[in-house]
Amino acid sequence: MNDLVIQNIKELVLPKKTDKPLKGKALDELEIVENGTVVVKDGKIVYAGPHTEEYEAEETIDATGKVVSPSLVDAHTHLIHGGSREHEMSLKRQGASYLEILEQGGGILSTVESTRKASEDELFEKAEHDLLTMIHHGVLAVESKSGYGLDKENELKQLKVSNRLAEKYNLDMRHTFLGPHAVPKDAESNEAFLEEMINLLPEVKEYADFADIFCETGVFSIEESKRYMQEAKKHGFDVKIHADEIDPLGGLGLAIDEDAISADHLVASSDEDKKKLKDSETVAVLLPGTTFYLGKEEYADARGMLENDGAIAIATDYNPGSCVTNNLQMVMAIAALKLKLSPNEIWNAVTVNAAKAINVDAGTINEGDKANIVLWNAPNHEFVTYKYGVNHVDKVIKDGKVIVDRDLSLK
């Protein structure tokens, strides 16, 4: 006897199981099954496809009028942080740029101060609330970065909180050491601080899967970023990079040269570097919610990357300064409007490709996969990327068990 059957599914979304990220035109290939059925046993998918009544189960869910998909993957978040920065909104309204706010002691450095002051338990409680919000919006795999400590004690504190959350909720979480996220006020020099972060790599390896660096004007140069990435790889890290967010320094090209698992942001990446994506498995993780929140007109060139047969994913970049939403559905809508991506491309970008960007077994619901599933209050898969700013989730199923059931009736 199976544990669960989901029947009468209006549309069943089935991203392709693949060993490598989907690239170029393949990102627009998505199997949509009308009147579908999903069968679950022992937390695994037994069947996902056209309607069948061959399977019996202890529990049946009627998904009439609903979309069913794999749970979502958020491949870039700054989940663990202290404080908030709503006071910076007035500076933004006056036209202050991200780097100008940083120079005034705001931005990342303001969050560093709040994070350092917060205890591990305080950070845990705050991040837990944010993580649960993400789960309620259909996300069951998350990448969580440090980077608001900028010293040994507080970087480790963030990573320990991230690991505690993963253990408590048994989630597919990946943890990223982003020690070189900014240069603290009291640093002797960029070079000295970078050396301090490099020396931390052996110790943080116990708590982190990836090593990341912010390669940008006023932060770390291409040469500094290259040195950090090469040292991180020596210690067994897969590497990531915050690249070309504001200025076209060549961070995407560096990521490709260093076989980074992902390069993130990429708003200002050069045409030359985008062409290199064709021969690379590096995933370009695009963060349109950040561009939207910062009020910028120029978004990452998703279409150009795909035309060069690149692999892209979409993520929130949830953080307290430049993208304060942890609603990946909202970012999916922005990707449709501003990155000019099709619904199929977006679904693949927040499932199978996002999973590849953080090396997690997620994003598909084929036979043998984890039964991590979302039921959507939507008549078709395009509707989720069309109606923005609301939560379309009906149910979230983790390992075959319903963990979120959004009854929209009034009590």
Side-chain angles (χ1 to χ4, degrees):
M1 179 72 71
N2 297 292
D3 300 325
L4 174 67
V5 170
I6 308 172
Q7 285 284 27
N8 305 318
I9 300 167
K10 177 75 180 300
E11 283 192 355
L12 175 58
V13 179
L14 294 175
K16 182 181 179 182
K17 188 82 169 179
T18 175
D19 291 334
K20 296 181 178 180
L22 299 172
K23 303 179 70 175
K25 293 180 180 179
L27 195 72
D28 202 26
E29 298 172 3
L30 182 66
E31 184 179 3
I32 304 294
V33 176
E34 296 185 0
N35 191 18
T37 297
V38 174
V39 183
V40 177
K41 183 177 178 60
D42 297 329
K44 301 285 187 179
I45 300 294
V46 172
Y47 173 84
H51 176 78
T52 178
E53 296 183 2
E54 293 181 8
Y55 298 93
E56 294 184 355
E58 295 178 2
E59 180 184 2
T60 298
I61 295 176
D62 183 359
T64 298
K66 292 179 171 46
V67 172
V68 171
S69 79
S71 57
L72 306 183
V73 180
D74 198 339
H76 183 128
T77 83
H78 300 256
L79 181 63
I80 317 297
H81 61 265
S84 59
R85 298 192 340 230
E86 60 272 20
H87 59 283
E88 291 180 9
M89 289 291 287
S90 61
L91 296 175
K92 291 185 174 76
R93 284 194 294 270
Q94 295 167 32
S97 71
Y98 179 82
L99 292 179
E100 287 170 341
I101 292 172
L102 184 64
E103 289 170 1
Q104 295 175 33
I108 291 173
L109 297 180
S110 172
T111 300
V112 168
E113 183 177 356
S114 297
T115 303
R116 287 179 173 182
K117 288 178 179 177
S119 69
E120 184 176 317
D121 285 344
E122 287 170 337
L123 289 177
F124 181 90
E125 182 178 352
K126 184 176 189 298
E128 182 179 37
H129 179 272
D130 289 333
L131 179 62
L132 290 173
T133 299
M134 295 167 75
I135 292 171
H136 277 257
H137 282 78
V139 173
L140 288 180
V142 181
E143 185 254 16
S144 170
K145 301 179 187 292
S146 69
Y148 292 124
L150 307 187
D151 61 19
K152 175 180 176 178
E153 175 187 354
N154 291 289
E155 288 295 311
L156 285 170
K157 180 172 67 176
Q158 287 178 267
L159 290 169
K160 287 176 181 177
V161 168
S162 187
N163 280 264
R164 281 176 59 189
L165 286 168
E167 183 177 357
K168 179 171 180 178
Y169 291 100
N170 190 27
L171 288 181
D172 290 320
M173 284 186 72
R174 292 293 182 264
H175 318 284
T176 299
F177 173 55
L178 180 57
H181 190 198
V183 180
K185 299 175 186 177
D186 56 356
E188 180 182 332
S189 64
N190 275 35
E191 293 78 8
F193 176 68
L194 184 63
E195 190 68 27
E196 182 183 341
M197 294 299 101
I198 288 172
N199 291 337
L200 260 182
L201 288 167
E203 192 164 351
V204 299
K205 188 67 178 72
E206 179 181 350
Y207 304 100
D209 304 288
F210 307 116
D212 197 347
I213 187 168
F214 191 7
C215 179
E216 188 53 73
T217 301
V219 194
F220 296 100
S221 67
I222 287 288
E223 293 73 21
E224 290 167 332
S225 300
K226 180 177 181 179
R227 178 163 183 267
Y228 174 79
M229 294 169 81
Q230 291 181 343
E231 290 296 325
K233 288 192 290 184
K234 289 178 185 177
H235 291 286
F237 286 93
D238 282 332
V239 292
K240 294 174 167 283
I241 186 171
H242 282 56
D244 305 333
E245 179 179 2
I246 299 168
D247 293 326
L249 300 188
L252 174 57
L254 173 63
I256 293 168
D257 291 343
E258 295 299 326
D259 294 320
I261 190 169
S262 76
D264 302 30
H265 285 291
L266 311 182
V267 176
S269 293
S270 68
D271 290 340
E272 180 182 357
D273 281 352
K274 282 180 278 190
K275 290 177 182 177
K276 291 182 179 180
L277 283 168
K278 182 174 183 178
D279 300 314
S280 170
E281 301 303 327
T282 296
V283 179
V285 179
L286 308 183
L287 310 168
T290 304
T291 309
F292 171 82
Y293 185 76
L294 293 176
K296 302 292 186 180
E297 295 184 3
E298 182 181 359
Y299 284 73
D301 181 19
R303 295 254 55 94
M305 294 175 190
L306 292 174
E307 288 164 7
N308 283 297
D309 288 330
I312 70 169
I314 302 296
T316 60
D317 189 25
Y318 171 57
N319 74 83
S322 60
C323 191
V324 292
T325 183
N326 45 347
N327 179 356
L328 184 54
Q329 294 174 48
M330 177 68 179
V331 175
M332 291 166 68
I334 296 173
L337 293 167
K338 298 297 186 179
L339 300 187
K340 310 302 181 186
L341 295 177
S342 73
N344 287 1
E345 289 170 333
I346 294 167
W347 278 102
N348 279 323
V350 296
T351 55
V352 61
N353 268 22
K356 293 294 182 285
I358 60 173
N359 191 27
V360 64
D361 183 13
T364 58
I365 46 173
N366 297 313
E367 182 180 348
D369 286 342
K370 296 175 184 176
N372 290 347
I373 303 164
V374 179
L375 279 70
W376 302 90
N377 284 311
N380 55 67
H381 71 291
E382 296 185 15
F383 190 85
V384 177
T385 62
Y386 151 74
K387 187 174 182 180
Y388 67 93
V390 297
N391 187 1
H392 295 285
V393 165
D394 176 64
K395 292 178 177 62
V396 177
I397 297 172
K398 182 182 179 299
D399 298 324
K401 305 294 184 183
V402 176
I403 63 169
V404 173
D405 193 347
R406 296 182 67 239
D407 181 358
L408 298 181
S409 63
L410 295 176
K411 303 298 188 226

